[in-house]
Amino acid sequence: MTYDPNNIFAKILRKELPCVKLYEDEDVLSFLDIMPQVEGHTLVIPKEAACDILQLSTTSASRLIMATQRIARAIKSALNPPGIMLMQLNGVAAGQTVPHIHFHVLPRHAGIDMKLHARQMVDSKTLEPVAARIRAAL
Ligand code: 5GP
């Protein structure tokens, strides 16, 4: 698959579109999902232009998983979920909807089902309180 520089996450990386940012360094950006499946649903994306895990360089892959672990630890500290689920989809057949590789970090609680994937958009203002709690734990 050829990388599309006009995908939504590429536009967020270029700051052409807004996001509720949690963390950024020279290799990665992390922000809240605008269609959260659970409270605190977070995305971690590399700055390298790669559609999926197959295209990503090993250097970026290492930095991406290190950043994902850091975000997961901050979510644990901030929200204290009993479970944390990582999700990473490659290809439309696997359910990937944005063709720029990313990890989902999903705080999970027994008995609270996840909402449907990429289905219901929320007002980004409603995400700010949980974002502030996670940022404070980073
Ligand atoms: P995928 O299906 O590619 O694994 O996940 C893409 C995720 O990006 C979905 O969970 C979807 O809700 C989220 N998403 C799509 N567009 C936007 C956007 O403009 N901003 C943010 N923050 N998340 C988005």
Side-chain angles (χ1 to χ4, degrees), residues 8-9 12 17-20 31-37 41 43 87-90 95-100 102 104 117-119 121 127:
I8 288 168
F9 292 173
I12 288 175
L17 289 175
C19 70
V20 179
F31 50 94
L32 291 182
D33 199 297
I34 201 70
M35 293 174 255
Q37 292 181 253
H41 183 170
L43 301 171
M87 184 166 78
Q88 199 281 302
L89 309 177
N90 299 283
Q96 184 179 9
T97 57
V98 178
H100 180 113
H102 49 279
H104 299 255
H117 180 64
R119 201 59 72 84
M121 197 171 289
L127 299 175

Side-chain angles (χ1 to χ4, degrees), residues 2-138:
T2 308
Y3 184 79
D4 172 10
N6 286 320
N7 76 72
I8 288 168
F9 292 173
K11 289 181 179 176
I12 288 175
L13 281 171
R14 291 195 298 268
K15 303 190 183 351
E16 293 167 12
L17 289 175
C19 70
V20 179
K21 185 160 85 173
L22 299 176
Y23 175 78
E24 182 170 17
D25 64 25
E26 60 186 16
D27 301 305
V28 303
L29 175 67
S30 178
F31 50 94
L32 291 182
D33 199 297
I34 201 70
M35 293 174 255
Q37 292 181 253
V38 292
E39 187 188 40
H41 183 170
T42 297
L43 301 171
V44 191
I45 76 174
K47 292 193 173 175
E48 183 177 302
C51 296
D52 56 24
I53 195 77
L54 306 173
Q55 288 182 359
L56 192 65
S57 70
T58 50
T59 300
S60 272
S62 314
R63 291 176 183 164
L64 179 61
I65 195 65
M66 286 193 293
T68 301
Q69 184 190 47
R70 181 172 176 176
I71 296 294
R73 284 177 169 159
I75 285 174
K76 179 69 182 171
S77 171
L79 310 179
N80 199 29
I84 295 181
M85 181 171 140
L86 298 185
M87 184 166 78
Q88 199 281 302
L89 309 177
N90 299 283
V92 172
Q96 184 179 9
T97 57
V98 178
H100 180 113
I101 182 187
H102 49 279
F103 275 95
H104 299 255
V105 186
L106 296 140
R108 296 301 309 273
H109 295 78
I112 301 183
D113 290 336
M114 289 184 1
K115 294 188 179 144
L116 291 176
H117 180 64
R119 201 59 72 84
Q120 199 177 353
M121 197 171 289
V122 299
D123 182 339
S124 62
K125 284 198 280 294
T126 66
L127 299 175
E128 274 305 333
V130 76
R133 291 168 67 195
I134 300 169
R135 279 187 210 112
L138 275 163

